[in-house]
Amino acid sequence: MKMKSVYIETYGCQMNVADTEVVFSILGAAGYGRTEDITKADVIMANTCSIRDNAEQRIWGRLEQFNIQRKSRKGVLVGILGCMAERLKDALLDSGKVDIVAGPDSYRRLPELISAAAEGTPQMDVILSREETYAEISPVRTDKNGVSAFISIMRGCNNVCSYCVVPFTRGSERSRSLSTIVREACECAAQGYKEITLLGQNVDSYSFEGQDFADLLGKVAETVPSVRIRFSTSNPQDISGKVLDTMASHPNICHHIHLPVQSGSDRILEKMRRRYTRQAYLDKVRAIREKMPDCAISTDVIAGFCSETVEEHEMTLSLFREVGFDAAYMFYYSERSGTLAARKYPDDVPLEEKTRRLEEIIALQNSLSLESNRRDVGRRFTVLVEGPSKRDEADLCGRNPQNKMCVWKDSSHKAGDFVEVEVTDCTQATLLCRLVE
Ligand code: SAH
Ligand code: SF4
Ligand code: F3S
């Protein structure tokens, strides 16, 4: 019999990328091959995100496309995995467009769910677990360049940020065993990966048998000294001096911290149930820069949260100026039903005003990114080659430790090489460099 093949589209955060790789591994062991051609797939799946309404709308749109395949080829099954499966549950099955609904903690059951669905009855498993970390599963890596790998170090989230759906879709926080993480890092190195990103919604609350995140980070960095180590996400209230010391003392840990601020106003931060103030955030930024003057800091921000005034929005702008972020992911508030904010606070900033505030933040960040890049002109960096640049095949591109995209002329290196470059010019998005011989 022909081997069945599975096609998966991945949406949302890096955790979902890592989860898709776990799913490929579980399905591979059950005899399913992987295909990147949807028209050849026996099982078509989307690993989904619920973080904002437009993320979900996109998936509903994709489901229409999936159903063209499902209707035109006999036996094709459509599955929804991930956060939207967990949040919408029956609503997905009731749409009649989906055969399998599997939440983030039920991937081990996928072979069983697919077989049962093939008998004609739609299947759903959205039970969340307190223990599941897929610890011993070796993911099937999907990075096209074979250079960069994600390793999940924990799952779920125990914070209760009032706007956020993640605790509902991913369940409570649990840490994966340190030894299986270290073993996976060794596997990555043996397979030729040159960069590992340790993933969790709140990496600083990693805790396993008395070992904290700094212990884990140091251990991974020491075990694979020729591999570059990154991590995400750090929460401003939890990132510790010990983590900063570990970063500063290990040359292969990249000097980049993603430190989502969400708002520059204390009143809004409190309503968001973030557990820091504007001042505490600024103090963290100062501590980071004191220890590592070359450390890049990026952030996430939400414009137009419930009851945010123009003055409070301006406090976000002034915080951005004060910190001078190197990069930012910027969103306007999207109400998620079931969250504390949806239950307690009216979503009362009109869409037009949310968009205006968001655009103001984006315009400011664009100028801050340009300023940050200009400061790098004349500096030298070690860059990990990702491959040819999109704009010009004669150029290579890759990131420096600060996670900035670099582009330079080069015909002598390939993906996975570390090269020395000097920045000669920049745009807001890219450092234009020359190779240092
Ligand atoms: N665990 C990470 C964030 C994960 S979600 C942390 O705590 O920082 C990624 C980002 O999406 C968040 O930082 C936030 O900026 C944004 N986000 C989350 N919920 C949102 C919502 N309801 N509306 C708009 N943006 C949201
Ligand atoms: Fe959501 Fe807050 Fe958890 Fe991040 S820390 S995933 S924003 S609840
Ligand atoms: Fe989205 Fe779930 Fe990640 S909601 S951001 S895919 S944890």
Side-chain angles (χ1 to χ4, degrees), residues 7-38:
Y7 167 94
I8 308 182
E9 276 178 20
T10 306
Y11 295 85
C13 61
Q14 296 169 331
M15 306 284 281
N16 262 10
V17 176
D19 279 3
T20 292
E21 297 178 342
V22 164
V23 169
F24 276 128
S25 176
I26 291 169
L27 290 178
Y32 290 86
R34 176 183 166 206
T35 177
E36 292 183 57
D37 182 352
I38 191 168

PDB file of all heavy atoms in Angstrom, residues 7-38:
ATOM      1  N   TYR A   7       0.297  16.952   5.132  1.00  0.00           N
ATOM      2  CA  TYR A   7       0.711  18.318   4.809  1.00  0.00           C
ATOM      3  C   TYR A   7       0.280  19.190   5.982  1.00  0.00           C
ATOM      4  O   TYR A   7      -0.865  19.104   6.424  1.00  0.00           O
ATOM      5  CB  TYR A   7      -0.016  18.726   3.525  1.00  0.00           C
ATOM      6  CG  TYR A   7       0.032  20.191   3.186  1.00  0.00           C
ATOM      7  CD1 TYR A   7       1.008  20.698   2.334  1.00  0.00           C
ATOM      8  CD2 TYR A   7      -0.926  21.079   3.701  1.00  0.00           C
ATOM      9  CE1 TYR A   7       1.035  22.046   2.006  1.00  0.00           C
ATOM     10  CE2 TYR A   7      -0.890  22.426   3.375  1.00  0.00           C
ATOM     11  CZ  TYR A   7       0.086  22.897   2.530  1.00  0.00           C
ATOM     12  OH  TYR A   7       0.120  24.222   2.209  1.00  0.00           O
ATOM     13  N   ILE A   8       1.200  19.997   6.511  1.00  0.00           N
ATOM     14  CA  ILE A   8       0.820  20.865   7.647  1.00  0.00           C
ATOM     15  C   ILE A   8       1.238  22.306   7.379  1.00  0.00           C
ATOM     16  O   ILE A   8       2.390  22.570   7.038  1.00  0.00           O
ATOM     17  CB  ILE A   8       1.459  20.409   8.983  1.00  0.00           C
ATOM     18  CG1 ILE A   8       1.194  18.922   9.253  1.00  0.00           C
ATOM     19  CG2 ILE A   8       0.935  21.265  10.139  1.00  0.00           C
ATOM     20  CD1 ILE A   8       1.761  18.407  10.580  1.00  0.00           C
ATOM     21  N   GLU A   9       0.292  23.213   7.530  1.00  0.00           N
ATOM     22  CA  GLU A   9       0.606  24.650   7.512  1.00  0.00           C
ATOM     23  C   GLU A   9       0.662  25.129   8.947  1.00  0.00           C
ATOM     24  O   GLU A   9      -0.226  24.804   9.735  1.00  0.00           O
ATOM     25  CB  GLU A   9      -0.494  25.427   6.780  1.00  0.00           C
ATOM     26  CG  GLU A   9      -0.310  25.424   5.294  1.00  0.00           C
ATOM     27  CD  GLU A   9      -1.428  26.163   4.553  1.00  0.00           C
ATOM     28  OE1 GLU A   9      -2.133  26.995   5.159  1.00  0.00           O
ATOM     29  OE2 GLU A   9      -1.569  25.884   3.365  1.00  0.00           O
ATOM     30  N   THR A  10       1.675  25.927   9.257  1.00  0.00           N
ATOM     31  CA  THR A  10       1.844  26.367  10.641  1.00  0.00           C
ATOM     32  C   THR A  10       1.635  27.872  10.769  1.00  0.00           C
ATOM     33  O   THR A  10       2.227  28.649  10.020  1.00  0.00           O
ATOM     34  CB  THR A  10       3.253  25.984  11.141  1.00  0.00           C
ATOM     35  OG1 THR A  10       3.426  24.586  10.931  1.00  0.00           O
ATOM     36  CG2 THR A  10       3.419  26.282  12.616  1.00  0.00           C
ATOM     37  N   TYR A  11       0.813  28.260  11.715  1.00  0.00           N
ATOM     38  CA  TYR A  11       0.523  29.681  11.982  1.00  0.00           C
ATOM     39  C   TYR A  11       0.923  29.993  13.412  1.00  0.00           C
ATOM     40  O   TYR A  11       1.135  29.077  14.219  1.00  0.00           O
ATOM     41  CB  TYR A  11      -0.976  29.937  11.797  1.00  0.00           C
ATOM     42  CG  TYR A  11      -1.400  29.732  10.365  1.00  0.00           C
ATOM     43  CD1 TYR A  11      -1.726  28.463   9.894  1.00  0.00           C
ATOM     44  CD2 TYR A  11      -1.417  30.786   9.465  1.00  0.00           C
ATOM     45  CE1 TYR A  11      -2.073  28.258   8.573  1.00  0.00           C
ATOM     46  CE2 TYR A  11      -1.763  30.600   8.139  1.00  0.00           C
ATOM     47  CZ  TYR A  11      -2.090  29.332   7.699  1.00  0.00           C
ATOM     48  OH  TYR A  11      -2.418  29.137   6.388  1.00  0.00           O
ATOM     49  N   GLY A  12       0.991  31.300  13.738  1.00  0.00           N
ATOM     50  CA  GLY A  12       1.207  31.696  15.126  1.00  0.00           C
ATOM     51  C   GLY A  12       2.671  31.760  15.502  1.00  0.00           C
ATOM     52  O   GLY A  12       3.533  32.035  14.681  1.00  0.00           O
ATOM     53  N   CYS A  13       2.956  31.424  16.754  1.00  0.00           N
ATOM     54  CA  CYS A  13       4.289  31.687  17.301  1.00  0.00           C
ATOM     55  C   CYS A  13       5.256  30.538  17.030  1.00  0.00           C
ATOM     56  O   CYS A  13       4.892  29.498  16.491  1.00  0.00           O
ATOM     57  CB  CYS A  13       4.178  31.950  18.801  1.00  0.00           C
ATOM     58  SG  CYS A  13       3.515  30.560  19.721  1.00  0.00           S
ATOM     59  N   GLN A  14       6.496  30.713  17.464  1.00  0.00           N
ATOM     60  CA  GLN A  14       7.542  29.710  17.269  1.00  0.00           C
ATOM     61  C   GLN A  14       7.203  28.400  17.975  1.00  0.00           C
ATOM     62  O   GLN A  14       7.625  27.330  17.535  1.00  0.00           O
ATOM     63  CB  GLN A  14       8.873  30.253  17.785  1.00  0.00           C
ATOM     64  CG  GLN A  14       9.343  31.468  16.989  1.00  0.00           C
ATOM     65  CD  GLN A  14      10.515  32.180  17.655  1.00  0.00           C
ATOM     66  OE1 GLN A  14      10.652  32.160  18.878  1.00  0.00           O
ATOM     67  NE2 GLN A  14      11.338  32.840  16.870  1.00  0.00           N
ATOM     68  N   MET A  15       6.418  28.488  19.063  1.00  0.00           N
ATOM     69  CA  MET A  15       6.003  27.256  19.751  1.00  0.00           C
ATOM     70  C   MET A  15       5.233  26.355  18.793  1.00  0.00           C
ATOM     71  O   MET A  15       5.332  25.135  18.862  1.00  0.00           O
ATOM     72  CB  MET A  15       5.070  27.562  20.928  1.00  0.00           C
ATOM     73  CG  MET A  15       5.577  28.540  21.916  1.00  0.00           C
ATOM     74  SD  MET A  15       6.803  27.836  22.993  1.00  0.00           S
ATOM     75  CE  MET A  15       5.821  26.953  24.118  1.00  0.00           C
ATOM     76  N   ASN A  16       4.446  26.964  17.945  1.00  0.00           N
ATOM     77  CA  ASN A  16       3.679  26.168  16.988  1.00  0.00           C
ATOM     78  C   ASN A  16       4.596  25.534  15.944  1.00  0.00           C
ATOM     79  O   ASN A  16       4.348  24.415  15.511  1.00  0.00           O
ATOM     80  CB  ASN A  16       2.618  27.027  16.308  1.00  0.00           C
ATOM     81  CG  ASN A  16       1.250  26.853  16.955  1.00  0.00           C
ATOM     82  OD1 ASN A  16       1.140  26.243  18.012  1.00  0.00           O
ATOM     83  ND2 ASN A  16       0.218  27.380  16.315  1.00  0.00           N
ATOM     84  N   VAL A  17       5.638  26.250  15.557  1.00  0.00           N
ATOM     85  CA  VAL A  17       6.611  25.666  14.621  1.00  0.00           C
ATOM     86  C   VAL A  17       7.215  24.418  15.266  1.00  0.00           C
ATOM     87  O   VAL A  17       7.298  23.348  14.662  1.00  0.00           O
ATOM     88  CB  VAL A  17       7.712  26.687  14.257  1.00  0.00           C
ATOM     89  CG1 VAL A  17       8.771  26.051  13.364  1.00  0.00           C
ATOM     90  CG2 VAL A  17       7.095  27.916  13.581  1.00  0.00           C
ATOM     91  N   ALA A  18       7.607  24.558  16.545  1.00  0.00           N
ATOM     92  CA  ALA A  18       8.196  23.422  17.262  1.00  0.00           C
ATOM     93  C   ALA A  18       7.178  22.286  17.400  1.00  0.00           C
ATOM     94  O   ALA A  18       7.518  21.108  17.261  1.00  0.00           O
ATOM     95  CB  ALA A  18       8.687  23.869  18.638  1.00  0.00           C
ATOM     96  N   ASP A  19       5.923  22.643  17.658  1.00  0.00           N
ATOM     97  CA  ASP A  19       4.890  21.605  17.806  1.00  0.00           C
ATOM     98  C   ASP A  19       4.647  20.865  16.494  1.00  0.00           C
ATOM     99  O   ASP A  19       4.452  19.647  16.492  1.00  0.00           O
ATOM    100  CB  ASP A  19       3.567  22.223  18.274  1.00  0.00           C
ATOM    101  CG  ASP A  19       3.550  22.472  19.771  1.00  0.00           C
ATOM    102  OD1 ASP A  19       4.580  22.224  20.421  1.00  0.00           O
ATOM    103  OD2 ASP A  19       2.501  22.900  20.284  1.00  0.00           O
ATOM    104  N   THR A  20       4.642  21.586  15.387  1.00  0.00           N
ATOM    105  CA  THR A  20       4.455  20.929  14.089  1.00  0.00           C
ATOM    106  C   THR A  20       5.557  19.898  13.871  1.00  0.00           C
ATOM    107  O   THR A  20       5.304  18.797  13.364  1.00  0.00           O
ATOM    108  CB  THR A  20       4.451  21.981  12.957  1.00  0.00           C
ATOM    109  OG1 THR A  20       3.269  22.768  13.092  1.00  0.00           O
ATOM    110  CG2 THR A  20       4.473  21.328  11.581  1.00  0.00           C
ATOM    111  N   GLU A  21       6.758  20.214  14.318  1.00  0.00           N
ATOM    112  CA  GLU A  21       7.880  19.277  14.157  1.00  0.00           C
ATOM    113  C   GLU A  21       7.680  18.031  15.030  1.00  0.00           C
ATOM    114  O   GLU A  21       8.050  16.923  14.636  1.00  0.00           O
ATOM    115  CB  GLU A  21       9.195  19.994  14.472  1.00  0.00           C
ATOM    116  CG  GLU A  21       9.447  21.131  13.477  1.00  0.00           C
ATOM    117  CD  GLU A  21      10.718  21.930  13.735  1.00  0.00           C
ATOM    118  OE1 GLU A  21      11.260  21.862  14.859  1.00  0.00           O
ATOM    119  OE2 GLU A  21      11.176  22.618  12.803  1.00  0.00           O
ATOM    120  N   VAL A  22       7.059  18.209  16.194  1.00  0.00           N
ATOM    121  CA  VAL A  22       6.714  17.066  17.051  1.00  0.00           C
ATOM    122  C   VAL A  22       5.625  16.225  16.365  1.00  0.00           C
ATOM    123  O   VAL A  22       5.681  14.990  16.344  1.00  0.00           O
ATOM    124  CB  VAL A  22       6.235  17.559  18.440  1.00  0.00           C
ATOM    125  CG1 VAL A  22       5.516  16.454  19.211  1.00  0.00           C
ATOM    126  CG2 VAL A  22       7.415  18.091  19.245  1.00  0.00           C
ATOM    127  N   VAL A  23       4.645  16.895  15.765  1.00  0.00           N
ATOM    128  CA  VAL A  23       3.558  16.183  15.077  1.00  0.00           C
ATOM    129  C   VAL A  23       4.108  15.363  13.910  1.00  0.00           C
ATOM    130  O   VAL A  23       3.741  14.198  13.736  1.00  0.00           O
ATOM    131  CB  VAL A  23       2.471  17.181  14.601  1.00  0.00           C
ATOM    132  CG1 VAL A  23       1.481  16.497  13.661  1.00  0.00           C
ATOM    133  CG2 VAL A  23       1.743  17.781  15.798  1.00  0.00           C
ATOM    134  N   PHE A  24       5.029  15.942  13.138  1.00  0.00           N
ATOM    135  CA  PHE A  24       5.636  15.184  12.031  1.00  0.00           C
ATOM    136  C   PHE A  24       6.344  13.940  12.572  1.00  0.00           C
ATOM    137  O   PHE A  24       6.334  12.877  11.947  1.00  0.00           O
ATOM    138  CB  PHE A  24       6.629  16.042  11.244  1.00  0.00           C
ATOM    139  CG  PHE A  24       5.983  16.899  10.179  1.00  0.00           C
ATOM    140  CD1 PHE A  24       6.228  18.261  10.118  1.00  0.00           C
ATOM    141  CD2 PHE A  24       5.134  16.324   9.229  1.00  0.00           C
ATOM    142  CE1 PHE A  24       5.636  19.049   9.124  1.00  0.00           C
ATOM    143  CE2 PHE A  24       4.545  17.103   8.239  1.00  0.00           C
ATOM    144  CZ  PHE A  24       4.787  18.473   8.186  1.00  0.00           C
ATOM    145  N   SER A  25       6.970  14.082  13.724  1.00  0.00           N
ATOM    146  CA  SER A  25       7.681  12.954  14.308  1.00  0.00           C
ATOM    147  C   SER A  25       6.694  11.858  14.736  1.00  0.00           C
ATOM    148  O   SER A  25       6.889  10.675  14.435  1.00  0.00           O
ATOM    149  CB  SER A  25       8.501  13.455  15.499  1.00  0.00           C
ATOM    150  OG  SER A  25       9.129  12.399  16.147  1.00  0.00           O
ATOM    151  N   ILE A  26       5.625  12.258  15.417  1.00  0.00           N
ATOM    152  CA  ILE A  26       4.622  11.280  15.877  1.00  0.00           C
ATOM    153  C   ILE A  26       3.973  10.591  14.676  1.00  0.00           C
ATOM    154  O   ILE A  26       3.828   9.368  14.645  1.00  0.00           O
ATOM    155  CB  ILE A  26       3.553  11.985  16.755  1.00  0.00           C
ATOM    156  CG1 ILE A  26       4.184  12.420  18.078  1.00  0.00           C
ATOM    157  CG2 ILE A  26       2.338  11.075  16.983  1.00  0.00           C
ATOM    158  CD1 ILE A  26       3.319  13.357  18.916  1.00  0.00           C
ATOM    159  N   LEU A  27       3.626  11.373  13.671  1.00  0.00           N
ATOM    160  CA  LEU A  27       2.967  10.779  12.500  1.00  0.00           C
ATOM    161  C   LEU A  27       3.954   9.956  11.665  1.00  0.00           C
ATOM    162  O   LEU A  27       3.572   8.934  11.090  1.00  0.00           O
ATOM    163  CB  LEU A  27       2.304  11.865  11.648  1.00  0.00           C
ATOM    164  CG  LEU A  27       1.068  12.502  12.302  1.00  0.00           C
ATOM    165  CD1 LEU A  27       0.501  13.602  11.418  1.00  0.00           C
ATOM    166  CD2 LEU A  27      -0.009  11.455  12.590  1.00  0.00           C
ATOM    167  N   GLY A  28       5.196  10.395  11.640  1.00  0.00           N
ATOM    168  CA  GLY A  28       6.227   9.624  10.920  1.00  0.00           C
ATOM    169  C   GLY A  28       6.365   8.226  11.516  1.00  0.00           C
ATOM    170  O   GLY A  28       6.404   7.224  10.800  1.00  0.00           O
ATOM    171  N   ALA A  29       6.374   8.164  12.853  1.00  0.00           N
ATOM    172  CA  ALA A  29       6.499   6.868  13.527  1.00  0.00           C
ATOM    173  C   ALA A  29       5.284   5.985  13.245  1.00  0.00           C
ATOM    174  O   ALA A  29       5.361   4.758  13.321  1.00  0.00           O
ATOM    175  CB  ALA A  29       6.667   7.083  15.032  1.00  0.00           C
ATOM    176  N   ALA A  30       4.154   6.623  12.910  1.00  0.00           N
ATOM    177  CA  ALA A  30       2.938   5.854  12.616  1.00  0.00           C
ATOM    178  C   ALA A  30       2.811   5.576  11.117  1.00  0.00           C
ATOM    179  O   ALA A  30       1.759   5.124  10.652  1.00  0.00           O
ATOM    180  CB  ALA A  30       1.714   6.616  13.130  1.00  0.00           C
ATOM    181  N   GLY A  31       3.863   5.906  10.354  1.00  0.00           N
ATOM    182  CA  GLY A  31       3.862   5.526   8.934  1.00  0.00           C
ATOM    183  C   GLY A  31       3.414   6.606   7.966  1.00  0.00           C
ATOM    184  O   GLY A  31       3.201   6.329   6.787  1.00  0.00           O
ATOM    185  N   TYR A  32       3.289   7.844   8.437  1.00  0.00           N
ATOM    186  CA  TYR A  32       2.899   8.920   7.519  1.00  0.00           C
ATOM    187  C   TYR A  32       4.132   9.663   7.016  1.00  0.00           C
ATOM    188  O   TYR A  32       4.975  10.076   7.812  1.00  0.00           O
ATOM    189  CB  TYR A  32       1.984   9.931   8.223  1.00  0.00           C
ATOM    190  CG  TYR A  32       0.616   9.382   8.525  1.00  0.00           C
ATOM    191  CD1 TYR A  32       0.391   8.666   9.693  1.00  0.00           C
ATOM    192  CD2 TYR A  32      -0.444   9.569   7.636  1.00  0.00           C
ATOM    193  CE1 TYR A  32      -0.863   8.152   9.984  1.00  0.00           C
ATOM    194  CE2 TYR A  32      -1.692   9.052   7.922  1.00  0.00           C
ATOM    195  CZ  TYR A  32      -1.895   8.344   9.091  1.00  0.00           C
ATOM    196  OH  TYR A  32      -3.122   7.830   9.365  1.00  0.00           O
ATOM    197  N   GLY A  33       4.216   9.876   5.719  1.00  0.00           N
ATOM    198  CA  GLY A  33       5.292  10.682   5.162  1.00  0.00           C
ATOM    199  C   GLY A  33       4.879  12.145   5.159  1.00  0.00           C
ATOM    200  O   GLY A  33       3.708  12.480   5.314  1.00  0.00           O
ATOM    201  N   ARG A  34       5.874  13.024   4.996  1.00  0.00           N
ATOM    202  CA  ARG A  34       5.582  14.453   4.985  1.00  0.00           C
ATOM    203  C   ARG A  34       5.555  14.943   3.539  1.00  0.00           C
ATOM    204  O   ARG A  34       6.413  14.562   2.748  1.00  0.00           O
ATOM    205  CB  ARG A  34       6.683  15.160   5.763  1.00  0.00           C
ATOM    206  CG  ARG A  34       6.572  16.651   5.750  1.00  0.00           C
ATOM    207  CD  ARG A  34       7.753  17.260   6.488  1.00  0.00           C
ATOM    208  NE  ARG A  34       7.799  18.678   6.181  1.00  0.00           N
ATOM    209  CZ  ARG A  34       8.887  19.413   6.214  1.00  0.00           C
ATOM    210  NH1 ARG A  34      10.033  18.883   6.553  1.00  0.00           N
ATOM    211  NH2 ARG A  34       8.831  20.685   5.913  1.00  0.00           N
ATOM    212  N   THR A  35       4.573  15.767   3.185  1.00  0.00           N
ATOM    213  CA  THR A  35       4.584  16.369   1.860  1.00  0.00           C
ATOM    214  C   THR A  35       4.408  17.878   1.978  1.00  0.00           C
ATOM    215  O   THR A  35       3.786  18.373   2.919  1.00  0.00           O
ATOM    216  CB  THR A  35       3.482  15.796   0.934  1.00  0.00           C
ATOM    217  OG1 THR A  35       3.517  16.493  -0.307  1.00  0.00           O
ATOM    218  CG2 THR A  35       2.092  15.938   1.535  1.00  0.00           C
ATOM    219  N   GLU A  36       5.006  18.593   1.023  1.00  0.00           N
ATOM    220  CA  GLU A  36       4.800  20.047   0.991  1.00  0.00           C
ATOM    221  C   GLU A  36       3.870  20.413  -0.141  1.00  0.00           C
ATOM    222  O   GLU A  36       3.678  21.589  -0.455  1.00  0.00           O
ATOM    223  CB  GLU A  36       6.162  20.753   0.872  1.00  0.00           C
ATOM    224  CG  GLU A  36       6.965  20.576   2.147  1.00  0.00           C
ATOM    225  CD  GLU A  36       8.292  21.294   2.136  1.00  0.00           C
ATOM    226  OE1 GLU A  36       8.305  22.520   1.939  1.00  0.00           O
ATOM    227  OE2 GLU A  36       9.323  20.621   2.321  1.00  0.00           O
ATOM    228  N   ASP A  37       3.274  19.391  -0.756  1.00  0.00           N
ATOM    229  CA  ASP A  37       2.359  19.616  -1.866  1.00  0.00           C
ATOM    230  C   ASP A  37       0.945  19.234  -1.432  1.00  0.00           C
ATOM    231  O   ASP A  37       0.609  18.063  -1.295  1.00  0.00           O
ATOM    232  CB  ASP A  37       2.817  18.763  -3.060  1.00  0.00           C
ATOM    233  CG  ASP A  37       1.936  18.974  -4.282  1.00  0.00           C
ATOM    234  OD1 ASP A  37       0.890  19.652  -4.167  1.00  0.00           O
ATOM    235  OD2 ASP A  37       2.304  18.442  -5.341  1.00  0.00           O
ATOM    236  N   ILE A  38       0.136  20.252  -1.225  1.00  0.00           N
ATOM    237  CA  ILE A  38      -1.216  20.033  -0.685  1.00  0.00           C
ATOM    238  C   ILE A  38      -2.058  19.140  -1.608  1.00  0.00           C
ATOM    239  O   ILE A  38      -2.890  18.370  -1.138  1.00  0.00           O
ATOM    240  CB  ILE A  38      -1.904  21.400  -0.401  1.00  0.00           C
ATOM    241  CG1 ILE A  38      -3.183  21.231   0.414  1.00  0.00           C
ATOM    242  CG2 ILE A  38      -2.195  22.165  -1.671  1.00  0.00           C
ATOM    243  CD1 ILE A  38      -3.733  22.536   0.960  1.00  0.00           C
TER     244      ILE A  38
END
